[in-house]
């Protein structure tokens, strides 16, 4: 199992009075805030959140249709509030911040969790504010007994197909880039109704990150034509970057999946991430007309986009970035290998030729040494094969063209 933190800013949460879940219940609305949250010491969990939603009186928040084996909400509410949790259609029961609900029967199906906050004092304003920070969800990013791979892809990757989206400029600016938070310091956004973003991928889990903001609005997610469909709202009173816009898991790891996001209001995208069993995770698309696959074995990004890869066993980790293109399969191209071998052979042949050509010039010059007799008589140094031997008892060397000394004795 793996833990997934879903912050309050995620459109996966629906806040009252959302009509799809709370119509006719007369619940109060919520306001999104940007932290850091100053009262984290009151919570039954450690850590500090940078965002939170606040309300008062009677209000509710729901996390629908999430694959989970455990759910741990994090909130702050005074003792005057009656807080209950409801799982699906089960009866509500009292709950507290940091307390986990665990499924013990091994089921792994979409679950719906509803938290209701009901002020017990009158007037309700005397109960004070209730703050909701988010929830931890235990889930499965990959089938059991498999090592998890994770691959992240920037919004500007050429493997993403856009219709009606564009990088930030004066004509479509919804939010500014936050270079300290935004992945690869890029964002893609649209205010055009019907604008689409399409990605193809393999893996068991898919994550979509972006921005929630006052100018953001509703979008729909369709996965594999019609197998999964969701309508979410990225509106937030505060501008929150790096928000989890969408998540689902338990996908078929043997198939290629297609996710289509269609905007009905303002939408800001930052990055996509897929997780699944090692060797079966990646994004698929076209880079300038060339079929391309980005997976955990890839060592680089296409030169025309900011696509990066990562390899993780559990939670998020920094990803390896590179600048060396790889083949579609993630392995070196055969042409590159053959070219390298031929280049090495040519280099050796050239070195051999150079040595044969140059070495005679550096060959050490022979030094002819006189024999002791010639040295003693200061005779000319000549080749031995031209020497004639006399018949005298005491042999002496006589060279052609020379006159023997008259005092030589037999």
């Amino acid at each position: 199992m793996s833990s997934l933190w879903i912050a309050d800013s995620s459109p996966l949460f629906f806040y009252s009075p959302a009509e799809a879940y709370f119509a006719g219940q007369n619940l109060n609305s919520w306001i999104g805030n940007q932290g850091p949250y100053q009262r984290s010491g009151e919570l039954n969990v450690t850590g500090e959140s940078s965002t939170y939603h606040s309300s008062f009186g009677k209000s509710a928040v729901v996390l629908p249709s999430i694959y989970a084996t455990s759910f741990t909400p994090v909130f702050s509410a005074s003792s005057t509030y009656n807080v209950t949790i409801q799982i699906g259609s089960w009866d509500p029961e009292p709950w507290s911040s940091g307390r986990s609900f665990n499924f013990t029967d091994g089921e792994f199906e979409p679950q719906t969790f509803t938290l209701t906050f009901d002020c017990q004092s009158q007037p309700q304003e005397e109960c004070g504010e209730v703050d909701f920070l988010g929830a931890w969800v235990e889930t499965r990013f990959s089938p059991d007994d498999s090592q998890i791979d994770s691959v992240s892809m920037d919004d500007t990757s050429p493997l993403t197909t856009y219709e009606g989206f564009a990088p930030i400029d004066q004509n479509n600016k919804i939010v500014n880039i936050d270079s300290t938070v935004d992945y690869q310091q890029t964002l893609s956004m649209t205010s055009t109704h019907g604008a689409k973003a399409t990605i193809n991928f393999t893996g068991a889990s898919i994550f979509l990150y972006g921005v929630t903001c006052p100018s953001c609005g509703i979008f729909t997610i369709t996965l594999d034509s019609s197998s999964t469909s969701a309508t979410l709202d990225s509106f937030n009173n505060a501008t929150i970057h790096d928000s989890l816009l969408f998540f689902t898991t338990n996908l078929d790891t043997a198939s290629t999946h297609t996710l289509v996001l269609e905007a009905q209001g303002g939408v800001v995208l930052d990055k996509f991430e897929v997780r699944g069993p090692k060797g079966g995770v990646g994004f698929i698309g076209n880079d300038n007309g060339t079929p391309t696959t980005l997976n955990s074995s890839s060592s680089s990004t296409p030169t025309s986009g900011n696509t990066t890869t990562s390899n993780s066993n559990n939670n998020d980790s920094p990803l390896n970035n590179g600048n060396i293109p790889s083949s579609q399969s993630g392995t070196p191209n055969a042409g590159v290998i053959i070219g390298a071998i031929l280049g090495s052979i040519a280099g050796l042949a050239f070195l051999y030729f150079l040595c044969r050509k140059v070495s005679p010039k550096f060959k050490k010059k022979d030094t002819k040494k006189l024999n002791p007799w010639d040295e003693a008589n200061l005779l000319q140094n000549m080749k031995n094969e031209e020497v004639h031997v006399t018949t005298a008892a005491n042999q002496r060397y006589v060279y052609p063209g020379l006159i023997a000394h008259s005092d030589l004795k037999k």
Side-chain angles (χ1 to χ4, degrees):
M1 298 298 173
S2 301
S3 296
L4 173 66
W5 170 250
I6 306 178
D8 69 291
S9 60
S10 173
L12 294 174
F13 289 114
F14 289 79
Y15 294 93
S16 60
E19 293 184 1
Y21 298 96
F22 307 114
Q25 297 186 31
N26 195 29
L27 299 177
N28 290 332
S29 59
W30 295 74
I31 297 176
N33 302 277
Q34 190 166 15
Y37 188 69
Q38 300 298 323
R39 292 185 289 173
S40 59
E42 300 178 7
L43 306 177
N44 294 331
V45 293
T46 59
E48 188 174 71
S49 176
S50 61
T51 67
Y52 63 98
H53 268 66
S54 60
S55 186
F56 70 95
K58 189 173 183 179
S59 56
V61 56
V62 57
L63 177 63
S65 302
I66 188 82
Y67 279 94
T69 59
S70 174
F71 177 76
T72 308
V74 180
F75 57 86
S76 176
S78 68
S79 58
T80 57
Y81 277 95
N82 178 29
V83 183
T84 61
I85 188 173
Q86 184 177 11
I87 314 298
S89 59
W90 300 354
D91 293 334
E93 60 179 298
W95 214 252
S96 59
S97 177
R99 180 183 173 187
S100 298
F101 182 94
N102 299 294
F103 293 94
T104 59
D105 54 6
E107 289 186 9
F108 193 56
E109 300 292 337
Q111 306 291 344
T112 297
F113 303 90
T114 304
L115 283 174
T116 301
F117 303 88
D118 189 4
C119 176
Q120 301 300 300
S121 298
Q122 294 296 332
Q124 291 186 344
E125 288 79 358
E126 293 183 358
C127 288
E129 183 177 285
V130 55
D131 299 322
F132 179 75
L133 283 74
W136 286 102
V137 174
E138 290 288 331
T139 186
R140 298 172 184 167
F141 297 146
S142 180
D144 290 339
D145 301 323
S146 64
Q147 185 177 359
I148 299 176
D149 262 1
S150 175
V151 180
S152 294
M153 182 174 71
D154 187 56
D155 61 285
T156 61
S157 169
L159 304 187
T160 303
T161 302
Y162 287 107
E163 301 174 35
F165 276 78
I168 294 177
D169 59 33
Q170 295 300 321
N171 296 324
N172 72 326
K173 182 181 291 186
I174 299 177
V175 298
N176 293 316
I177 291 177
D178 186 342
S179 60
T180 64
V181 178
D182 294 331
Y183 189 71
Q184 299 288 343
Q185 300 182 12
T186 63
L187 294 173
S188 293
M189 58 191 66
T190 186
S191 296
T192 303
H193 184 89
K196 294 181 180 180
T198 303
I199 62 169
N200 297 305
F201 67 94
T202 56
S205 309
I206 178 72
F207 304 74
L208 172 58
Y209 292 89
V211 179
T212 59
C213 66
S215 298
C216 299
I218 295 174
F219 61 92
T220 60
I221 294 287
T222 303
L223 186 61
D224 296 337
S225 297
S226 60
S227 62
T228 300
S229 182
T231 300
L232 307 170
D233 192 352
S234 58
F235 169 82
N236 198 347
N237 299 96
T239 298
I240 309 299
H241 294 247
D242 195 30
S243 293
L244 179 61
L245 301 184
F246 176 76
F247 163 76
T248 192
T249 187
N250 203 35
L251 302 176
D252 183 2
T253 58
S255 301
T256 298
H257 304 283
T258 300
L259 182 147
V260 179
L261 180 149
E262 182 173 352
Q264 299 180 21
V267 176
V268 183
L269 303 180
D270 188 12
K271 75 171 181 178
F272 306 93
E273 181 180 345
V274 288
R275 298 183 188 179
K278 189 174 182 62
V281 179
F283 293 95
I284 304 169
N286 285 279
D287 183 5
N288 293 326
T290 302
T292 305
T293 298
L294 174 70
N295 51 37
S296 58
S297 63
S298 302
S299 60
S300 68
T301 77
T303 56
S304 58
N306 295 321
T307 308
T308 59
T309 68
S310 67
N311 192 341
S312 169
N313 290 330
N314 278 303
N315 298 326
D316 293 339
S317 63
L319 309 185
N320 296 326
N321 296 324
N323 298 307
I324 304 175
S326 62
S327 65
Q328 180 176 349
S329 64
T331 58
N333 184 281
V336 174
I337 296 176
I338 294 173
I341 295 174
L342 292 178
S344 299
I345 294 174
L348 291 174
F350 175 76
L351 289 175
Y352 176 76
F353 169 78
L354 186 64
C355 291
R356 295 275 297 177
K357 187 73 175 177
V358 176
S359 60
K361 297 182 180 181
F362 295 94
K363 186 176 181 181
K364 185 176 180 180
K365 186 176 181 180
D366 291 337
T367 301
K368 297 180 180 179
K369 184 174 180 65
L370 297 174
N371 59 52
W373 177 265
D374 292 336
E375 287 182 336
N377 294 276
L378 299 178
L379 296 178
Q380 182 179 354
N381 182 24
M382 300 188 69
K383 294 183 179 180
N384 291 333
E385 60 267 22
E386 297 182 6
V387 173
H388 299 276
V389 181
T390 66
T391 59
N394 294 325
Q395 296 178 354
R396 300 291 183 267
Y397 293 100
V398 179
Y399 292 89
L402 293 179
I403 299 175
H405 295 279
S406 59
D407 58 348
L408 290 177
K409 296 180 181 180
K410 294 184 181 180

